[in-house]
Amino acid sequence: MNATVGTSEVPRYDLGVLSDFARDVLQTTRMRPDDARLLARSLVEADATGVATHGLTRLSAYVAQLRAGQVNPVPQEEILSETQSAVLVDADRGFGVPVGVRMIDRLMAKARETGVAFGGVTRVAHFGAAAFFTRRAAQHGFVAFAMSSTSPSVVPFGGRGPRIGNSPMSFAAPGVEEPELVMDMAQSVSSRGRIKVFATEGRKLPVGWAVDRDGLPTQDPTAALAGGVLPSGGHKGAALSLVVEMLASGLTGAHLTRDIRHAGFTSAGTPDFDADVTVGNAFLVLDAAVFGDSTAVRRRATDIAEHVRRSEPARDVDRVLAPGDPERARFAKATEFGVPLPPGTAHDLQSLADELGLAAPLPLNDDQGAADGHRRAHGTDAALG
């Protein structure tokens, strides 16, 4: 089964097969089985929802970081401070997905008792797509925020060079049947990862995305990676970036953006394995039943989204979508027909398989549905989040 992109066919792969392969690859670095499973799941889910910049394209880089010791494959997480409604954890240089999932679970337990709970994580590596955490909370009846500080890649409003982070943030709320209003965005016009995709494909950037090292507008993705990305919404995005930095790093004691270095995997140049790439994460979880009626809250969340969906579409627009709708539709299609992977990512997976002596995932045939094979046979969880 292939997906058509432009005039080319993009092969599709079974979600469960991809998850198991990524898990097996990560375990070769000594990652604990449960941690490897969670991280693999987050990567594949990103591809399945159309967020390819945070998907399996990062697997080779993650493995390289783990092998080099830049990221700790077996971190010893430590609770630094804890109250009835808040907790601060030192991730010991581990990846953000495993510790983030455990944090969300811990905060949900606290919020059941207190109504609201805040969690911070310090000394933590990349935490992937932020919606992976907020959807998990929303599925269990909680309103949630998740955010991370980052290295300086964004030019502050009116500035010349990159001095603030793109500061990703996600929000989700429980709906009548599934999470609603699932928002996941960086405070920049584009992510560095997406610009790298443009560079790899030899495509020009849209106007207004980035500046070069001299602060001049550029459509050259390589020049943009050496320069900086512009904030989304001008001064508004720049201000939100600082809010996220304050919550994720200012409160937690993690590196501030000015002190965070990136590993070089989404820049022009050679990866720097000596760089301390740890950042800070922050999570806020609210029980939908905090004021007594969680069913009403779920209904209101769905009503808010449905009100938007019922909007009269503009010319040449099929229908108006609410936040999270595109990703949910893509995931449903990926579950049924397979996850689309661009040739570059598929090549990276094949290289890892050859190096490690593993069987590389094979694309599905046109008459083969993903739901017919590995996912059902092996019981891979097909739910989003």
Side-chain angles (χ1 to χ4, degrees), residues 226-238:
V229 186
L230 293 174
S232 59
H235 64 285
K236 298 177 183 179

Side-chain angles (χ1 to χ4, degrees), residues 82-87 101-118 137 140 142 285-287:
E82 186 168 21
T83 68
Q84 188 178 8
S85 60
V87 60
V101 168
R102 286 188 281 272
M103 174 61 78
I104 283 291
D105 291 349
R106 181 179 284 117
L107 295 180
M108 287 191 294
K110 286 180 174 293
R112 287 189 186 97
E113 301 297 326
T114 64
V116 60
F118 179 83
H140 288 86
F142 296 85
V285 171
L286 301 92
D287 190 349

Side-chain angles (χ1 to χ4, degrees), residues 246-314:
M246 182 62 213
L247 292 172
S249 284
L251 279 179
T252 66
H255 291 316
L256 298 177
T257 291
R258 69 188 182 202
D259 300 317
I260 298 172
R261 298 169 63 191
H262 60 75
F265 293 107
T266 55
S267 68
T270 303
D272 180 7
F273 289 113
D274 292 328
D276 179 354
V277 296
T278 60
V279 298
N281 300 160
F283 304 88
L284 180 65
V285 171
L286 301 92
D287 190 349
V290 64
F291 296 126
D293 189 350
S294 62
T295 300
V297 171
R298 287 176 178 271
R299 186 174 61 251
R300 288 180 182 132
T302 296
D303 284 349
I304 291 170
E306 286 294 338
H307 180 70
V308 172
R309 295 178 185 124
R310 288 193 295 267
S311 300
E312 183 177 351

Side-chain angles (χ1 to χ4, degrees), residues 31 49 53 104 158 239 248 297 310 330-331 345 364:
M31 279 193 77
T49 54
T53 55
I104 283 291
V297 171
R310 288 193 295 267
R330 294 188 195 112
F331 185 81
T345 301
L364 296 168

Side-chain angles (χ1 to χ4, degrees), residues 6 14 17 34 51 67-68 86 161 200 202 221 225 231-232 317 366 384:
D14 184 86
V17 170
D34 283 349
V51 190
R67 287 175 177 170
T200 301
L225 289 169
S232 59
V317 175
D366 287 340
L384 181 57

Side-chain angles (χ1 to χ4, degrees), residues 168-198:
M169 175 177 63
S170 177
F171 170 87
V176 172
E177 295 183 354
E178 54 191 342
E180 294 282 12
L181 308 174
V182 183
M183 176 272 291
D184 187 347
M185 66 181 191
Q187 316 314 315
S188 56
V189 176
S190 176
S191 67
R192 291 179 64 86
R194 191 175 180 191
I195 290 176
K196 186 180 179 184
V197 171
F198 273 78

Side-chain angles (χ1 to χ4, degrees), residues 15-27 31-48 54-56 59 62 66 95 97-98 101 132 380:
L15 188 150
V17 170
L18 290 177
S19 295
D20 287 353
F21 175 77
R23 177 204 62 202
D24 292 345
V25 168
L26 291 167
Q27 283 190 245
M31 279 193 77
R32 300 181 184 95
D34 283 349
D35 286 4
R37 176 184 58 80
L38 288 170
L39 184 52
R41 173 68 186 193
S42 73
L43 293 173
V44 175
E45 187 172 295
D47 280 312
H54 288 65
L56 289 169
L59 183 58
Y62 279 4
L66 290 162
F95 275 119
V97 167
V101 168
F132 188 72
T380 302

